[in-house]
Amino acid sequence: MLENTLYRLQRGLGLTVVYFGGSITEGAGASSYDNCWAAKTTAFLRDAYPACKINHVSAAIGGTGTMLGVYRCDRDVCSHHPDLVFFEFCVNDMNGDFMTLANNSESIIRKIRACNPFCDIVFVYTITWNTADTMAHGDIQSAKTAHSAVAYYYGLPQVDIGEVLFTHIARHLHEGETPAWMTYTTDAVHPNDTGYQIYTDTVCNHLKAWFEQAGTPSSATPHRQPQLLFAPEVSHIGAHMDDACMTADTDDTWIRKNQSLCGRYPRYLECTEPGGTLTFAFEGTRIDLYFMMARDSGDIIFSVDGGEEHTVSSWDSYCKSFNRAGLGTLISGLPAGSHTLTLRVSDHKNDESEGYAVRIGAFLVL
């Protein structure tokens, strides 16, 4: 396991490590980013191999799963030419459709390996009170099952840091008592510094064991790519982003903002007036949005090819606390071919939102 990673580390060839996942990989709940499992894992590698320059890339976004992940993989992961990727989407993919999640997982692996066939990938599984309760009732967690099945098929190393954390919680947990969760987390979801140390120790212990098994590799070897699990015509490998500022046809109520979309995208289209309209022509079978979810975000009314109108909101309760980039799920299952999305800003919004604003960084096309 991880022979290519170890080969680079032992010879000081440089290593780019990308952490790809949700809020737990982003470090939510830690007193500082330096105390989350991702940062501390990189620190472990740097301490263990001081002669090797290690580049740390955080490509995690809270509240997002593999559906957004497969769209942004090219930009947020592959563009960094990674040598080692940690994949963590188990919590945010929870209760998703098994086949969709498996397709997303395989497509992310294939995208990374197309960029660098030598890249090692580690699947990481985390836990929350909700997922632990699901398992305690004997139910199967579709996300973890889907991810694990694909990882096994591709021969990828896996580590369940959530199970290890739960063994610590279980030592204190009495039926119906939640304070035990608060010993290791901030909100029964995101670890505190104590919880993150357990996550770090678990990952690093696995790395040590895998490196010991690998010994002293004499060369790096490209990974064998098995036959696709999902046929090309249904695979999600083609998922990509189209820059909204560059591709949308808008009326004069939309403004092109040359500033960051919550630190996740370099620019975005903004409309704060109900009725503002844009269109976007695309080729594919699915269309979604990469948009800002903010305190003043509103609803979007959309249709494809002049068909039935639907509504999606770019606001949720978390917007009261912070702004973030998110996935706006629009429509899938379209006939393969050319389509036109028509979108306008609704004059309705959530009662708690402070406005009607819609801010779009990219169209997500599959």
Side-chain angles (χ1 to χ4, degrees):
M1 294 289 187
L2 304 187
E3 287 85 356
N4 290 344
T5 294
L6 186 58
Y7 177 79
R8 299 189 67 84
L9 288 170
Q10 290 177 339
R11 286 159 178 77
L13 299 176
L15 189 79
T16 294
V17 187
V18 176
Y19 297 86
F20 194 35
S23 58
I24 293 174
T25 296
E26 193 177 22
S31 60
S32 71
Y33 183 75
D34 287 344
N35 286 320
C36 77
W37 78 267
K40 291 171 81 73
T41 297
T42 295
F44 159 77
L45 291 171
R46 287 172 173 161
D47 288 343
Y49 299 92
C52 186
K53 181 180 179 180
I54 298 176
N55 180 31
H56 175 103
V57 178
S58 176
I61 301 179
T64 67
T66 53
M67 195 67 249
L68 179 57
V70 74
Y71 284 124
R72 66 186 185 89
C73 183
D74 293 328
R75 182 181 184 276
D76 292 352
V77 178
C78 296
S79 66
H80 297 283
H81 304 288
D83 303 298
L84 173 63
V85 175
F86 288 93
F87 170 109
E88 178 274 311
F89 287 105
C90 179
V91 167
N92 289 335
D93 272 355
M94 181 179 61
N95 300 325
D97 173 71
F98 178 92
M99 297 300 283
T100 299
L101 301 183
N103 197 338
N104 290 343
S105 299
E106 176 176 56
S107 297
I108 288 169
I109 293 169
R110 301 296 281 226
K111 281 174 175 283
I112 294 170
R113 291 277 171 80
C115 163
N116 178 9
F118 296 88
C119 184
D120 290 331
I121 303 171
V122 178
F123 272 42
V124 178
Y125 308 113
T126 56
I127 200 169
T128 70
W129 176 85
N130 193 19
T131 56
D133 189 57
T134 296
M135 291 185 289
H137 284 85
D139 295 326
I140 299 298
Q141 189 184 351
S142 61
K144 183 176 175 181
T145 306
H147 295 173
S148 182
V150 175
Y152 272 115
Y153 180 72
Y154 278 84
L156 305 183
Q158 305 175 68
V159 53
D160 196 333
I161 58 181
E163 285 286 349
V164 176
L165 181 65
F166 187 68
T167 61
H168 287 76
I169 293 171
R171 292 171 188 166
H172 308 285
L173 191 63
H174 299 287
E175 187 173 353
E177 181 185 334
T178 57
W181 277 91
M182 305 312 291
T183 302
Y184 300 100
T185 73
T186 60
D187 53 6
V189 175
H190 303 100
N192 55 24
D193 287 354
T194 302
Y196 273 122
Q197 188 60 55
I198 293 170
Y199 275 4
T200 302
D201 291 343
T202 305
V203 172
C204 292
N205 286 338
H206 276 74
L207 288 175
K208 291 175 187 176
W210 291 330
F211 290 163
E212 184 175 344
Q213 293 168 10
T216 305
S218 59
S219 64
T221 305
H223 290 283
R224 179 187 67 85
Q225 293 287 65
Q227 182 178 346
L228 280 168
L229 288 168
F230 293 87
E233 60 269 21
V234 298
S235 172
H236 294 173
I237 293 175
H240 64 278
M241 292 180 166
D242 283 332
D243 190 293
C245 288
M246 302 296 185
T247 58
D249 184 8
T250 69
D251 65 22
D252 58 10
T253 62
W254 292 84
I255 300 172
R256 285 166 170 79
K257 308 285 284 189
N258 289 314
Q259 59 193 55
S260 170
L261 181 81
C262 302
R264 301 299 180 180
Y265 202 76
R267 60 195 155 267
Y268 58 89
L269 286 176
E270 177 185 71
C271 181
T272 59
E273 300 179 29
T277 302
L278 64 75
T279 59
F280 168 67
F282 66 97
E283 295 271 342
T285 62
R286 175 170 180 152
I287 179 73
D288 297 310
L289 300 176
Y290 194 31
F291 58 23
M292 185 185 298
M293 306 183 74
R295 298 173 68 91
D296 63 345
S297 291
D299 291 354
I300 297 167
I301 299 172
F302 70 92
S303 64
V304 174
D305 300 333
E308 182 181 357
E309 290 190 332
H310 304 274
T311 300
V312 63
S313 181
S314 59
W315 188 95
D316 64 16
S317 60
Y318 293 105
C319 294
K320 294 185 287 186
S321 302
F322 54 88
N323 298 346
R324 70 189 194 280
L327 169 69
T329 302
L330 299 187
I331 192 168
S332 61
L334 297 169
S338 300
H339 302 283
T340 300
L341 170 71
T342 301
L343 179 155
R344 75 175 184 274
V345 179
S346 176
D347 58 1
H348 291 87
K349 64 178 183 65
N350 188 285
D351 291 339
E352 295 186 83
S353 174
E354 297 176 0
Y356 298 90
V358 173
R359 301 177 179 94
I360 303 171
F363 299 106
L364 308 176
V365 180
L366 176 58

Coordinates of all heavy atoms in Angstrom, one line a residue, residues 8-80:
R8 N 8.5 8.5 -3.1 CA 8.7 9.9 -3.2 C 9.2 10.5 -1.9 O 10.2 11.3 -1.9 CB 7.5 10.7 -3.7 CG 7.0 10.3 -5.1 CD 5.9 11.2 -5.6 NE 6.4 12.6 -5.8 CZ 7.0 12.9 -7.0 NH1 7.2 12.1 -8.0 NH2 7.5 14.2 -7.1
L9 N 8.6 10.0 -0.8 CA 9.1 10.5 0.5 C 10.5 10.1 0.8 O 11.3 10.9 1.3 CB 8.1 10.0 1.6 CG 6.7 10.5 1.6 CD1 5.9 9.7 2.6 CD2 6.7 12.0 2.1
Q10 N 10.9 8.9 0.6 CA 12.2 8.4 0.9 C 13.3 9.0 0.1 O 14.4 9.1 0.5 CB 12.2 6.8 0.7 CG 11.4 6.1 1.8 CD 11.4 4.6 1.6 OE1 11.7 4.1 0.5 NE2 11.1 3.8 2.6
R11 N 12.9 9.4 -1.1 CA 13.9 10.0 -2.0 C 13.9 11.5 -2.1 O 14.6 12.1 -2.9 CB 13.8 9.4 -3.4 CG 14.3 8.0 -3.5 CD 13.8 7.2 -4.7 NE 14.3 5.8 -4.7 CZ 14.0 4.9 -3.9 NH1 13.0 5.1 -3.0 NH2 14.6 3.7 -3.9
G12 N 13.0 12.1 -1.3 CA 12.9 13.6 -1.3 C 12.5 14.2 -2.6 O 12.9 15.3 -3.0
L13 N 11.6 13.5 -3.3 CA 11.2 13.9 -4.6 C 10.0 15.0 -4.6 O 9.6 15.5 -5.6 CB 10.7 12.7 -5.5 CG 11.8 11.7 -5.7 CD1 11.3 10.5 -6.5 CD2 13.0 12.3 -6.5
G14 N 9.5 15.2 -3.4 CA 8.4 16.1 -3.2 C 7.1 15.4 -3.3 O 7.0 14.4 -4.0
L15 N 6.1 15.9 -2.5 CA 4.8 15.2 -2.4 C 3.7 16.2 -2.3 O 3.8 17.0 -1.4 CB 4.8 14.2 -1.2 CG 3.6 13.3 -1.1 CD1 3.8 12.1 -2.1 CD2 3.4 12.8 0.3
T16 N 2.8 16.1 -3.2 CA 1.6 17.0 -3.0 C 0.4 16.1 -2.5 O 0.0 15.1 -3.1 CB 1.2 17.6 -4.4 OG1 2.2 18.5 -4.8 CG2 -0.1 18.4 -4.3
V17 N -0.1 16.5 -1.3 CA -1.2 15.8 -0.6 C -2.4 16.7 -0.7 O -2.4 17.8 -0.3 CB -0.8 15.5 0.8 CG1 -1.9 14.6 1.4 CG2 0.6 14.9 0.9
V18 N -3.5 16.1 -1.2 CA -4.8 16.8 -1.3 C -5.8 16.1 -0.4 O -5.9 14.9 -0.5 CB -5.3 16.8 -2.8 CG1 -6.7 17.5 -2.8 CG2 -4.3 17.5 -3.7
Y19 N -6.5 16.9 0.4 CA -7.5 16.4 1.3 C -8.9 16.9 0.7 O -9.2 18.0 0.7 CB -7.3 17.0 2.7 CG -6.0 16.5 3.3 CD1 -4.8 17.2 3.1 CD2 -6.0 15.4 4.1 CE1 -3.6 16.8 3.7 CE2 -4.8 14.9 4.7 CZ -3.6 15.6 4.4 OH -2.5 15.2 5.0
F20 N -9.6 15.9 0.2 CA -10.8 16.1 -0.5 C -12.0 15.6 0.2 O -12.1 14.4 0.5 CB -10.7 15.4 -1.9 CG -11.7 15.8 -3.0 CD1 -12.1 17.1 -3.1 CD2 -12.1 14.8 -3.9 CE1 -13.0 17.4 -4.1 CE2 -13.0 15.1 -4.9 CZ -13.4 16.4 -5.0
G21 N -12.9 16.4 0.7 CA -14.1 16.0 1.5 C -15.0 17.1 1.9 O -15.1 18.1 1.3
G22 N -15.6 16.8 3.1 CA -16.5 17.8 3.7 C -16.0 18.5 4.9 O -14.8 18.7 5.0
S23 N -16.9 18.9 5.8 CA -16.5 19.8 6.8 C -15.5 19.2 7.8 O -14.7 19.9 8.4 CB -17.7 20.3 7.6 OG -18.5 19.2 8.1
I24 N -15.6 17.9 8.1 CA -14.7 17.3 9.0 C -13.2 17.3 8.4 O -12.3 17.5 9.2 CB -15.1 15.9 9.3 CG1 -16.4 15.9 10.1 CG2 -14.1 15.1 10.1 CD1 -17.1 14.6 10.4
T25 N -13.1 17.2 7.1 CA -11.8 17.3 6.5 C -11.4 18.8 6.3 O -10.2 19.1 6.3 CB -11.8 16.6 5.1 OG1 -12.0 15.2 5.4 CG2 -10.5 16.7 4.4
E26 N -12.4 19.6 6.3 CA -12.1 21.1 6.3 C -11.6 21.6 7.6 O -11.1 22.7 7.7 CB -13.4 21.8 5.8 CG -13.2 23.3 5.4 CD -14.5 23.9 4.9 OE1 -15.5 23.4 5.3 OE2 -14.4 24.9 4.2
G27 N -11.9 20.9 8.7 CA -11.4 21.3 10.0 C -12.4 21.9 10.9 O -12.1 22.5 11.9
A28 N -13.7 21.8 10.5 CA -14.8 22.4 11.3 C -14.8 21.8 12.7 O -14.7 20.6 12.9 CB -16.1 22.2 10.7
G29 N -14.8 22.7 13.7 CA -14.8 22.2 15.1 C -13.5 22.3 15.8 O -13.4 22.4 17.0
A30 N -12.4 22.4 15.0 CA -11.1 22.5 15.6 C -10.8 23.9 16.1 O -11.4 24.9 15.5 CB -10.0 22.1 14.6
S31 N -10.0 24.1 17.1 CA -9.7 25.4 17.6 C -9.0 26.2 16.6 O -9.0 27.5 16.6 CB -8.9 25.3 18.9 OG -7.7 24.6 18.7
S32 N -8.2 25.6 15.7 CA -7.6 26.2 14.5 C -7.4 25.1 13.5 O -7.4 23.9 13.8 CB -6.2 26.8 14.9 OG -5.3 25.8 15.2
Y33 N -7.2 25.5 12.3 CA -7.0 24.5 11.2 C -5.8 23.6 11.5 O -5.9 22.4 11.2 CB -6.8 25.2 9.8 CG -6.7 24.2 8.7 CD1 -7.8 23.5 8.2 CD2 -5.5 23.9 8.2 CE1 -7.7 22.6 7.2 CE2 -5.3 23.0 7.1 CZ -6.5 22.3 6.7 OH -6.4 21.4 5.7
D34 N -4.8 24.2 12.1 CA -3.6 23.3 12.4 C -3.9 22.2 13.3 O -3.1 21.2 13.4 CB -2.5 24.2 13.1 CG -1.9 25.2 12.1 OD1 -2.0 24.9 10.9 OD2 -1.2 26.1 12.6
N35 N -5.1 22.2 14.0 CA -5.4 21.1 14.9 C -6.4 20.1 14.3 O -6.9 19.2 15.0 CB -6.0 21.7 16.2 CG -5.0 22.3 17.1 OD1 -3.9 21.8 17.2 ND2 -5.3 23.5 17.7
C36 N -6.7 20.2 13.0 CA -7.6 19.2 12.4 C -6.8 18.1 11.9 O -5.6 18.1 11.8 CB -8.5 19.9 11.3 SG -7.6 20.1 9.8
W37 N -7.5 17.0 11.6 CA -6.8 15.7 11.2 C -6.0 15.9 9.9 O -4.9 15.3 9.8 CB -7.7 14.6 11.1 CG -8.6 14.5 9.9 CD1 -9.8 15.0 9.7 CD2 -8.2 13.9 8.6 NE1 -10.3 14.7 8.4 CE2 -9.3 14.0 7.7 CE3 -7.1 13.2 8.2 CZ2 -9.3 13.5 6.4 CZ3 -7.0 12.7 6.9 CH2 -8.2 12.9 6.0
A38 N -6.5 16.7 9.0 CA -5.8 16.9 7.7 C -4.4 17.6 8.0 O -3.4 17.1 7.5 CB -6.6 17.6 6.7
A39 N -4.5 18.7 8.6 CA -3.3 19.5 8.9 C -2.3 18.7 9.7 O -1.1 18.7 9.5 CB -3.6 20.8 9.6
K40 N -2.8 18.0 10.7 CA -1.9 17.2 11.6 C -1.3 16.0 10.9 O -0.2 15.5 11.2 CB -2.6 16.8 12.9 CG -2.9 18.0 13.8 CD -3.9 17.6 14.9 CE -3.1 16.9 16.1 NZ -2.3 17.9 16.8
T41 N -2.0 15.4 9.9 CA -1.5 14.3 9.1 C -0.3 14.8 8.3 O 0.7 14.1 8.2 CB -2.6 13.7 8.3 OG1 -3.6 13.1 9.1 CG2 -2.0 12.6 7.4
T42 N -0.5 16.0 7.6 CA 0.6 16.5 6.9 C 1.8 16.8 7.8 O 3.0 16.6 7.4 CB 0.2 17.8 6.1 OG1 -0.8 17.5 5.2 CG2 1.3 18.5 5.4
A43 N 1.5 17.4 9.0 CA 2.6 17.6 9.9 C 3.4 16.4 10.3 O 4.6 16.4 10.4 CB 2.0 18.3 11.2
F44 N 2.6 15.3 10.4 CA 3.3 14.0 10.7 C 4.2 13.6 9.6 O 5.3 13.1 9.8 CB 2.2 12.9 10.9 CG 2.7 11.5 10.7 CD1 3.4 10.8 11.7 CD2 2.4 10.8 9.5 CE1 3.9 9.5 11.5 CE2 2.9 9.5 9.3 CZ 3.6 8.9 10.3
L45 N 3.7 13.7 8.3 CA 4.6 13.3 7.2 C 5.8 14.2 7.1 O 6.9 13.8 6.8 CB 3.8 13.5 5.9 CG 2.6 12.4 5.7 CD1 1.8 12.8 4.5 CD2 3.2 11.0 5.6
R46 N 5.6 15.5 7.4 CA 6.8 16.4 7.3 C 7.8 16.1 8.4 O 9.0 16.2 8.2 CB 6.3 17.9 7.5 CG 5.6 18.4 6.2 CD 5.0 19.7 6.4 NE 4.4 20.3 5.1 CZ 3.5 21.2 5.1 NH1 3.0 21.8 6.2 NH2 3.1 21.7 3.9
D47 N 7.3 15.8 9.6 CA 8.2 15.4 10.7 C 9.0 14.1 10.4 O 10.2 13.9 10.7 CB 7.5 15.3 12.0 CG 7.0 16.6 12.5 OD1 7.5 17.6 12.1 OD2 6.1 16.6 13.4
A48 N 8.3 13.1 9.8 CA 8.8 11.8 9.5 C 9.8 11.9 8.3 O 10.7 11.1 8.3 CB 7.7 10.8 9.2
Y49 N 9.6 12.8 7.4 CA 10.4 12.8 6.1 C 10.8 14.3 5.9 O 10.4 14.9 4.9 CB 9.6 12.3 5.0 CG 9.2 10.8 5.2 CD1 8.0 10.5 5.7 CD2 10.1 9.8 4.8 CE1 7.7 9.2 5.9 CE2 9.8 8.5 5.1 CZ 8.6 8.2 5.6 OH 8.2 6.8 5.8
P50 N 11.7 14.8 6.8 CA 12.0 16.3 6.7 C 12.8 16.6 5.4 O 12.8 17.8 5.0 CB 12.9 16.5 7.9 CG 13.5 15.1 8.2 CD 12.4 14.2 7.9
A51 N 13.4 15.7 4.7 CA 14.1 16.0 3.5 C 13.2 16.1 2.3 O 13.7 16.5 1.2 CB 15.2 14.9 3.2
C52 N 11.9 15.8 2.4 CA 11.0 15.8 1.3 C 10.0 17.0 1.5 O 9.4 17.2 2.5 CB 10.1 14.5 1.3 SG 9.1 14.4 -0.2
K53 N 10.0 17.8 0.5 CA 9.1 19.0 0.5 C 7.7 18.5 0.3 O 7.4 17.8 -0.7 CB 9.4 20.0 -0.6 CG 8.5 21.2 -0.6 CD 8.9 22.2 -1.7 CE 8.0 23.4 -1.6 NZ 8.4 24.4 -2.7
I54 N 6.8 18.8 1.2 CA 5.4 18.3 1.1 C 4.4 19.5 1.0 O 4.4 20.4 1.8 CB 5.0 17.5 2.4 CG1 5.9 16.3 2.5 CG2 3.6 17.1 2.3 CD1 5.7 15.4 3.7
N55 N 3.7 19.5 -0.1 CA 2.7 20.5 -0.4 C 1.3 20.1 0.1 O 0.8 19.0 -0.3 CB 2.7 20.8 -1.9 CG 1.7 21.8 -2.3 OD1 1.4 22.8 -1.6 ND2 1.1 21.7 -3.5
H56 N 0.7 20.8 1.0 CA -0.6 20.5 1.5 C -1.7 21.3 0.8 O -1.6 22.5 0.7 CB -0.6 20.9 3.0 CG -1.9 20.7 3.7 ND1 -2.1 19.6 4.6 CD2 -3.0 21.5 3.7 CE1 -3.4 19.8 5.1 NE2 -3.9 20.9 4.6
V57 N -2.7 20.6 0.3 CA -3.8 21.2 -0.4 C -5.1 20.9 0.3 O -5.5 19.7 0.4 CB -3.9 20.8 -1.8 CG1 -5.1 21.5 -2.5 CG2 -2.6 21.2 -2.6
S58 N -5.9 21.8 0.8 CA -7.2 21.6 1.4 C -8.2 21.8 0.3 O -8.4 22.9 -0.1 CB -7.5 22.5 2.6 OG -8.8 22.3 3.1
A59 N -8.9 20.7 -0.1 CA -9.9 20.8 -1.2 C -11.3 20.4 -0.6 O -12.1 19.8 -1.3 CB -9.5 20.0 -2.4
A60 N -11.5 20.6 0.7 CA -12.7 20.2 1.4 C -13.7 21.4 1.5 O -13.2 22.5 1.7 CB -12.4 19.7 2.8
I61 N -14.9 21.1 1.3 CA -16.0 22.1 1.5 C -17.1 21.5 2.4 O -17.7 20.4 2.0 CB -16.6 22.5 0.1 CG1 -15.5 23.1 -0.8 CG2 -17.7 23.5 0.4 CD1 -16.1 23.6 -2.1
G62 N -17.4 22.2 3.4 CA -18.4 21.7 4.4 C -19.8 21.5 3.7 O -20.2 22.3 2.9
G63 N -20.5 20.5 4.1 CA -21.9 20.3 3.7 C -22.0 19.8 2.2 O -23.1 19.9 1.6
T64 N -20.9 19.3 1.6 CA -21.0 18.9 0.3 C -20.5 17.4 0.1 O -19.6 17.0 0.9 CB -20.1 19.8 -0.7 OG1 -18.7 19.6 -0.4 CG2 -20.5 21.2 -0.5
G65 N -21.0 16.7 -0.8 CA -20.7 15.3 -1.0 C -20.1 15.1 -2.4 O -19.6 16.0 -3.0
T66 N -20.1 13.8 -2.8 CA -19.4 13.5 -4.1 C -20.1 14.0 -5.3 O -19.5 14.0 -6.4 CB -19.3 11.9 -4.2 OG1 -20.6 11.3 -4.0 CG2 -18.4 11.4 -3.2
M67 N -21.4 14.4 -5.2 CA -22.0 14.9 -6.4 C -21.4 16.2 -6.8 O -21.0 16.4 -8.0 CB -23.5 15.2 -6.2 CG -24.3 15.4 -7.5 SD -24.4 13.9 -8.6 CE -23.4 14.4 -10.0
L68 N -21.2 17.1 -5.8 CA -20.4 18.3 -6.1 C -18.9 18.0 -6.3 O -18.2 18.5 -7.2 CB -20.5 19.4 -5.0 CG -19.7 20.7 -5.2 CD1 -20.1 21.4 -6.5 CD2 -19.9 21.6 -4.0
G69 N -18.5 17.0 -5.6 CA -17.1 16.6 -5.7 C -16.7 16.1 -7.1 O -15.6 16.5 -7.6
V70 N -17.5 15.4 -7.7 CA -17.2 14.9 -9.1 C -17.1 16.0 -10.1 O -16.3 16.0 -11.0 CB -18.1 13.7 -9.5 CG1 -19.5 14.3 -9.9 CG2 -17.5 12.9 -10.7
Y71 N -17.9 17.0 -9.9 CA -17.9 18.2 -10.7 C -16.6 19.0 -10.5 O -16.0 19.5 -11.4 CB -19.1 19.2 -10.4 CG -20.4 18.7 -11.0 CD1 -21.5 18.6 -10.2 CD2 -20.6 18.5 -12.4 CE1 -22.7 18.2 -10.7 CE2 -21.8 18.1 -12.9 CZ -22.9 18.0 -12.0 OH -24.1 17.6 -12.5
R72 N -16.2 19.2 -9.3 CA -15.1 20.1 -9.0 C -13.7 19.4 -8.9 O -12.7 20.0 -8.6 CB -15.3 20.9 -7.7 CG -15.4 20.1 -6.4 CD -15.9 21.0 -5.2 NE -15.9 20.4 -4.0 CZ -14.8 20.3 -3.1 NH1 -13.7 20.9 -3.5 NH2 -14.9 19.7 -2.0
C73 N -13.7 18.1 -9.1 CA -12.5 17.3 -8.9 C -11.4 17.8 -9.9 O -10.2 18.0 -9.5 CB -12.8 15.8 -9.2 SG -11.3 14.7 -9.0
D74 N -11.7 18.1 -11.1 CA -10.7 18.6 -12.1 C -10.0 19.8 -11.6 O -8.8 20.0 -11.6 CB -11.3 18.8 -13.5 CG -11.8 17.5 -14.1 OD1 -11.2 16.5 -13.9 OD2 -12.8 17.6 -14.9
R75 N -10.9 20.8 -11.1 CA -10.3 22.1 -10.7 C -9.7 22.1 -9.4 O -8.6 22.7 -9.2 CB -11.5 23.1 -10.8 CG -11.0 24.5 -10.4 CD -12.2 25.5 -10.4 NE -11.6 26.8 -10.1 CZ -11.4 27.3 -8.9 NH1 -11.6 26.6 -7.9 NH2 -10.9 28.6 -8.8
D76 N -10.3 21.4 -8.4 CA -9.9 21.5 -7.0 C -8.9 20.5 -6.6 O -8.2 20.6 -5.6 CB -11.1 21.5 -6.1 CG -11.9 22.7 -6.2 OD1 -11.5 23.7 -6.9 OD2 -13.0 22.7 -5.6
V77 N -8.8 19.4 -7.4 CA -7.9 18.3 -7.0 C -6.8 18.1 -8.2 O -5.6 18.3 -7.9 CB -8.6 17.0 -6.8 CG1 -7.6 15.8 -6.5 CG2 -9.6 17.1 -5.6
C78 N -7.3 17.7 -9.3 CA -6.4 17.4 -10.4 C -5.5 18.5 -10.8 O -4.3 18.3 -11.2 CB -7.1 16.9 -11.6 SG -8.1 15.3 -11.3
S79 N -5.9 19.8 -10.7 CA -5.1 20.9 -11.1 C -3.8 21.0 -10.3 O -2.9 21.7 -10.7 CB -5.9 22.2 -11.1 OG -6.3 22.5 -9.7
H80 N -3.8 20.4 -9.1 CA -2.7 20.5 -8.2 C -1.7 19.3 -8.5 O -0.7 19.3 -7.8 CB -3.1 20.4 -6.8 CG -4.0 21.6 -6.4 ND1 -3.4 22.8 -6.1 CD2 -5.3 21.7 -6.2 CE1 -4.4 23.7 -5.8 NE2 -5.5 23.0 -5.8

